[in-house]
Amino acid sequence: KGTYSLRLLCQTANTHAIVDIDFDDSEIASFDMYSASVVENVVFNQTSIDVAAAGIVAIKLRIDGKHASSGNYKMYMTALALWRTA
């Protein structure tokens, strides 16, 4: 229970997807992983994530389409960090 921040470290490229992040069944972030060329270690942040109840939360990363210029639905993730801010 509390307020959290999330950081995702990924690669972006011209074959990458749009990725949604869900806590249980609620979408808390959406990131477009497309870029014209390969870029390593791109940081995506989402702040002020409110978790209303104490207990275990299922975190799901879900491919939710792609940028109009993307050639595929790929995602390469290096790290995901989550920390409580309040």
Side-chain angles (χ1 to χ4, degrees), residues 7-36:
R7 180 169 292 154
L8 193 61
L9 184 64
C10 293
Q11 176 193 75
T12 61
N14 63 2
T15 57
H16 287 25
I18 295 170
V19 177
D20 292 348
I21 301 177
D22 299 341
F23 278 18
D24 289 331
D25 292 323
S26 298
E27 182 180 314
I28 56 98
S30 183
F31 303 120
D32 189 345
M33 304 290 176
Y34 172 83
S35 62

Side-chain angles (χ1 to χ4, degrees), residues 1-2 4 23-24 50-59 82 84:
K1 182 175 179 174
Y4 292 82
F23 278 18
D24 289 331
D50 291 319
V51 177
I56 296 173
V57 173
I59 301 173
L82 180 70
R84 187 174 178 175

Side-chain angles (χ1 to χ4, degrees), residues 51-72:
V51 177
I56 296 173
V57 173
I59 301 173
K60 178 172 45 173
L61 280 71
R62 166 173 60 83
I63 303 296
D64 188 27
K66 65 181 182 77
H67 187 279
S69 298
S70 180
N72 211 321

